[in-house]
């Protein structure tokens, strides 16, 4: 599968859209005092060609098809105030993102817009129902120049990713609008570290070169090497994922040989800053400050030929410098998720050496606030697709008495996680449905909160099909399997050890399962095994238990190989169907479902 059918169109787009993006703050900071034609270049005297020009790099990541502003706490960004308090600012929505980017681009003759992956996948119903065609359409209107692929770009497999790139109607569902054929992405999706097993050739283009008036910047795009561990097996069938550092270094050498000296890496892997506030100074020298996580070692290993790193995946906001292998500081950025922030980076390009003056690189994250005008073209796009989605999206599924937080909860045990796990247990407990005794839900599969405030005309407290879909957009089939008590214990230990040790993934558990999580300890010891009980009885290592979980977890996904050892598998309804059935059975307008207590996992900190 190749991106060649749209190569010409992509290069046209890359050239045409070069009049791209910026942040006023970063631009002003990068300008010499008294410069009137900002961004045009820095030189001395009159009549001399400037030695450098400022290229504005605007970037964002992990949009996940959030065309409308994300609801509830998932739609806020944290901002630390001068007095040290933290304020939540509602942000995001593609109508506002478009306005932010277009405003930022003004006055910047050299502007390029790039994304760090996961533009689509795990999307709300408005985009997900239509296999993310609405989001690709919106990104084209945003004048996105280039994006790395993220792991979620593989949710529906390589053939569907090729369709998103090259266009054409869905192979099963066809065209969604009469007389309109989906034309695919105007920007190249880059996947340098993904090759086809049979041929060894790259799945998509490994890099692209953005050009304007003799200025050339190469972009290399990679996704995380561990994608097969966090995507269903069908999504990555026939594909091989390679080391991020080795791949970027290989293509940086190739670009360098071709005379492209300015290079930006787009990496769908990230880290965790010491503070969740978007305006945190990541380069603060204090103890415990800075950034941790996989991106740190990746950044330290990438050749100094690469001038800046745009990252993603962890949904965090940061603008940090991490030293390159030569010990020189290099900018590493990420803009949270769901279009709530964008990063504005000034790359000072030396016209003589064709390279970026690294000491002049400046970067800042900016909030996509909802108090600015909406972009009219995005409003009409959203209205058009909403009209098509409405008959399905607006169906009421149940009622809630207050917000039930999932994605927006930072606690190990999330109220919405409990509801989902209970729904799975209830639906699969009957003998003919699998005889489940306990259910596990992966936290990453909970994509939103259930919000009490109405999203449309349905009324406060009503949960619509669209809202339920936004919480669980994968439509994973449920599995019930046999696991021994020993395997159950091993699975719970894998939440906080092995690949999950640095960033624990705490499974959401159904009612009746209780245990203590001692975060003062390290690794597997964090799970206090003798505290583990099911319906008040200690887990018997030798006994067989019937365990319900989605097919992704049952395949050992998210770093839970113990869950992949299940036998005697029964395939049940989808996770979304069980969730909706539970809402219908446990709530009415007069007696709405209340947020459940979070008392299953006792956390010691």
């Amino acid at each position: 599968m190749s991106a060649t059918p749209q190569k010409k169109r992509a290069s046209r787009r890359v050239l045409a859209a070069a009049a791209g993006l910026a942040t006023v703050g970063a631009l002003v900071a990068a300008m010499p005092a008294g410069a009137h034609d900002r961004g045009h270049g820095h030189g001395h005297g009159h009549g001399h060609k400037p030695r450098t020009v400022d290229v504005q790099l605007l970037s964002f990541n992990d949009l996940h098809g959030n065309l409308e502003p994300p609801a509830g706490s998932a739609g806020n960004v944290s901002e630390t105030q001068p007095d040290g308090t933290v304020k939540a600012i509602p942000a995001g929505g593609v109508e506002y993102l478009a306005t932010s980017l277009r405003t930022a681009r003004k006055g910047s003759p050299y502007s390029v817009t790039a994304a760090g992956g996961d533009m689509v996948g795990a999307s709300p119903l408005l985009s997900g129902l239509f296999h993310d065609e609405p989001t690709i359409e919106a990104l084209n209107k945003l004048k996105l120049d280039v994006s790395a692929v993220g792991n979620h770009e593989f949710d529906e497999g390589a053939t569907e990713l090729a369709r998103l790139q090259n266009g054409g109607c869905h192979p099963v569902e066809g065209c969604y609008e009469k007389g309109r054929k989906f034309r695919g992405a105007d920007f190249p999706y880059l996947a340098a570290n993904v090759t086809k097993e049979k041929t060894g050739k790259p799945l998509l283009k490994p890099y692209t070169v953005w050009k304007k008036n003799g200025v050339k910047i190469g972009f290399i795009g990679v996704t995380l090497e561990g994608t097969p561990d966090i995507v269903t097996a069908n999504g990555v069938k026939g594909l091989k994922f390679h080391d991020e550092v080795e791949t970027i270094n290989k293509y940086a050498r190739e670009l360098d040989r071709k005379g492209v000296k300015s290079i930006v890496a787009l990496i769908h892997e990230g880290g965790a800053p010491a503070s969740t506030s978007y305006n945190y100074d990541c380069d603060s020298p204090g103890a415990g400050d800075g950034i941790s996580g996989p991106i740190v070692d990746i950044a330290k290993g990438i050749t100094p030929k690469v001038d800046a790193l745009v990252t993603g995946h962890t949904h965090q906001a940061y603008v940090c410098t991490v030293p390159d292998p030569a010990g020189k500081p290099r900018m590493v950025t990420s803009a949270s998720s769901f279009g709530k922030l964008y990063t504005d980076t000034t790359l000072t390009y030396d016209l003589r050496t064709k390279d970026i003056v690294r000491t002049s690189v400046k970067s800042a994250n900016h909030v996509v606030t909802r108090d600015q005008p909406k972009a009219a073209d995005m409003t009409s796009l959203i209205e058009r697709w909403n009209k098509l989605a409405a008959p399905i999206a607006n169906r009421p599924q149940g009622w809630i008495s207050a917000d039930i937080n999932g994605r927006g909860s930072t606690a190990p045990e999330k109220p919405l996680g409990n509801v989902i796990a209970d729904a799975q247990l209830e639906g699969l407990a009957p003998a003919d449905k699998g005889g489940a005794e306990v259910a596990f839900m992966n936290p990453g599969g909970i994509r939103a909160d259930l919000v009490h405030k109405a999203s449309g005309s349905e009324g406060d407290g009503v949960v619509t099909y669209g809202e339920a879909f936004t919480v669980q957009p994968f439509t994973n089939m449920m599995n019930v399997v046999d696991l021994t008590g020993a395997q159950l214990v091993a699975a719970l230990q894998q939440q906080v050890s092995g690949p999950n040790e640095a960033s624990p993934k705490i499974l959401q558990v159904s009612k009746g399962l209780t245990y203590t999580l001692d975060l003062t300890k390290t690794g597997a010891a964090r799970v206090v095994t003798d505290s583990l009980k099911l319906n008040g009885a200690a887990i018997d290592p030798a006994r067989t238990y019937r365990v319900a979980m989605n097919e992704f977890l049952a395949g050992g996904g998210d770093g839970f190989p113990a869950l992949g050892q299940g036998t005697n598998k029964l395939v049940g309804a989808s996770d979304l169907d069980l969730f909706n059935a539970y809402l219908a059975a446990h709530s009415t307008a007069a007696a709405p479902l209340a947020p459940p207590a979070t008392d299953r996992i006792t956390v010691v900190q």
Side-chain angles (χ1 to χ4, degrees):
M1 159 186 133
S2 125
T4 44
Q6 65 81 250
K7 203 178 237 177
K8 284 182 187 162
R9 182 160 45 107
S11 57
R12 265 206 314 274
R13 262 275 315 106
V14 166
L15 288 167
L21 325 190
T23 313
V24 175
L27 272 174
V28 173
M31 287 312 300
H36 297 294
D37 53 349
R38 78 183 166 163
H40 283 269
H42 308 314
H44 300 286
H46 295 284
H48 289 291
K49 190 181 175 190
R51 171 75 187 258
T52 62
V53 295
D54 282 346
V55 177
Q56 180 190 46
L57 169 63
L58 297 179
S59 56
F60 57 98
N61 50 277
D62 296 276
L63 180 64
H64 291 287
N66 278 265
L67 301 180
E68 296 176 296
S73 55
N76 293 336
V77 292
S78 298
E79 180 182 72
T80 301
Q81 305 302 299
D83 65 358
T85 58
V86 176
K87 180 180 170 188
I89 303 173
V94 80
E95 294 158 298
Y96 303 112
L97 179 61
T99 300
S100 287
L101 295 181
R102 289 163 185 171
T103 304
R105 287 173 185 148
K106 283 175 185 164
S108 289
Y110 294 91
S111 185
V112 57
T113 307
D118 276 6
M119 293 295 98
V120 301
S123 305
L125 188 88
L126 175 62
S127 188
L129 188 63
F130 306 106
H131 296 275
D132 283 311
E133 289 181 22
T135 297
I136 298 295
E137 235 183 66
L139 292 171
N140 289 344
K141 287 179 187 290
L142 278 180
K143 299 282 189 274
L144 182 63
D145 288 303
V146 57
S147 180
V149 293
N151 51 289
H152 283 282
E153 265 83 11
F154 293 93
D155 283 348
E156 294 187 48
T159 307
E160 175 62 4
L161 174 55
R163 186 182 79 88
L164 290 180
Q165 177 72 86
N166 301 320
C169 295
H170 192 269
V172 177
E173 292 171 34
C175 300
Y176 294 112
E177 295 172 288
K178 203 175 176 184
R180 265 186 201 251
K181 186 183 169 190
F182 175 59
R183 65 190 181 93
D186 287 348
F187 55 91
Y189 257 126
L190 305 180
N193 65 330
V194 186
T195 56
K196 299 176 197 172
E197 273 177 357
K198 279 184 182 165
T199 63
K201 292 192 171 145
L203 176 70
L204 295 168
K205 286 171 69 169
Y207 60 79
T208 191
V209 180
W210 177 87
K211 300 173 186 171
K212 184 169 184 191
N213 297 342
V215 172
K216 288 193 289 191
I217 299 178
F219 288 88
I220 303 167
V222 296
T223 190
L224 68 162
E225 187 184 4
T227 292
D229 302 329
I230 54 175
V231 171
T232 57
N234 278 344
V236 293
K237 204 172 176 185
L239 302 176
K240 206 162 180 205
F241 291 76
H242 304 271
D243 182 83
E244 302 95 337
V245 174
E246 286 172 20
T247 304
I248 291 167
N249 289 351
K250 169 186 161 183
Y251 287 111
R253 285 193 298 273
E254 191 171 309
L255 282 166
D256 189 53
R257 282 197 303 272
K258 290 182 170 181
V260 179
K261 306 295 181 186
S262 298
I263 302 171
V264 175
L266 308 175
I267 307 171
H268 192 70
E269 178 59 289
S275 162
T276 54
S277 290
Y278 84 91
N279 57 340
Y280 165 65
D281 179 3
C282 200
D283 295 334
S284 305
D289 273 330
I291 185 173
S292 58
I295 198 62
V296 179
D297 286 339
I298 289 171
K300 285 177 178 170
I302 289 173
T303 170
K305 291 183 199 300
V306 174
D307 299 295
L309 277 53
V310 171
T311 74
H313 187 56
T314 56
H315 291 205
Q316 302 293 311
Y318 49 84
V319 174
C320 305
T321 54
V322 177
D324 69 14
K328 293 192 177 126
R330 177 168 55 194
M331 200 61 81
V332 180
T333 68
S334 172
S336 184
S337 64
F338 301 169
K340 293 182 288 190
L341 297 177
Y342 70 94
T343 313
D344 187 339
T345 304
T346 303
L347 301 170
T348 300
Y349 184 93
D350 187 316
L351 294 164
R352 210 171 298 167
T353 65
K354 312 280 187 204
D355 207 348
I356 300 299
V357 182
R358 190 90 74 73
T359 50
S360 300
V361 175
K362 291 179 180 62
S363 192
N365 274 327
H366 299 270
V367 182
V368 176
T369 59
R370 298 185 201 163
D371 57 4
Q372 59 186 322
K374 295 179 179 182
D377 57 338
M378 294 299 177
T379 303
S380 62
L381 179 146
I382 288 169
E383 284 171 355
R384 202 180 95 234
W385 287 102
N386 260 334
K387 203 171 166 187
L388 287 174
I392 295 170
N394 298 339
R395 285 203 308 257
Q397 303 297 312
W399 290 262
I400 55 174
S401 64
D403 288 3
I404 304 180
N405 281 348
R407 193 81 191 173
S409 166
T410 53
E413 182 184 349
K414 304 171 195 308
L416 190 50
N418 287 357
V419 173
I420 291 169
D422 287 352
Q424 295 176 353
L425 177 62
E426 185 170 293
L428 301 170
D432 62 335
K433 301 280 194 250
E437 298 168 81
V438 64
F440 291 138
M441 175 64 193
N442 55 311
I446 306 168
R447 305 305 299 186
D449 303 332
L450 277 187
V451 178
H452 185 262
K453 189 178 186 316
S455 58
S457 58
E458 76 276 12
D460 290 352
V462 178
V463 180
T464 63
Y465 184 87
E467 289 164 343
F469 182 99
T470 298
V471 168
Q472 292 211 276
F474 298 108
T475 322
N476 271 314
M477 301 313 289
M478 291 301 299
N479 291 183
V480 186
V481 298
D482 283 351
L483 287 172
T484 64
Q487 288 168 324
L488 268 187
V489 172
L492 291 171
Q493 289 173 330
Q494 284 160 3
Q495 301 176 110
V496 288
S497 63
N500 293 331
E501 180 158 7
S503 182
K505 288 195 176 87
I506 306 304
L507 294 166
Q508 306 299 288
V509 300
S510 55
K511 63 184 175 196
L513 188 78
T514 55
Y515 70 97
T516 298
L517 190 64
D518 187 348
L519 297 179
T520 65
K521 297 197 164 82
T522 56
R526 290 167 170 171
V527 174
V528 182
T529 48
D530 58 8
S531 71
L532 190 56
K533 292 187 169 72
L534 182 59
N535 301 322
I539 295 288
D540 177 353
R543 198 196 129 189
T544 297
Y545 295 84
R546 292 292 282 164
V547 184
M549 65 194 102
N550 60 47
E551 60 191 336
F552 169 62
L553 275 180
D558 261 356
F560 290 99
L563 295 180
Q565 293 165 3
T567 56
N568 193 18
K569 178 168 80 174
L570 184 140
V571 178
S574 77
D575 51 8
L576 181 59
D577 286 347
L578 292 181
F579 184 47
N580 283 330
Y582 186 86
L583 289 171
H586 291 271
S587 68
T588 62
L593 182 71
T598 48
D599 53 6
R600 300 170 190 184
I601 305 170
T602 303
V603 181
V604 179
Q605 282 178 313

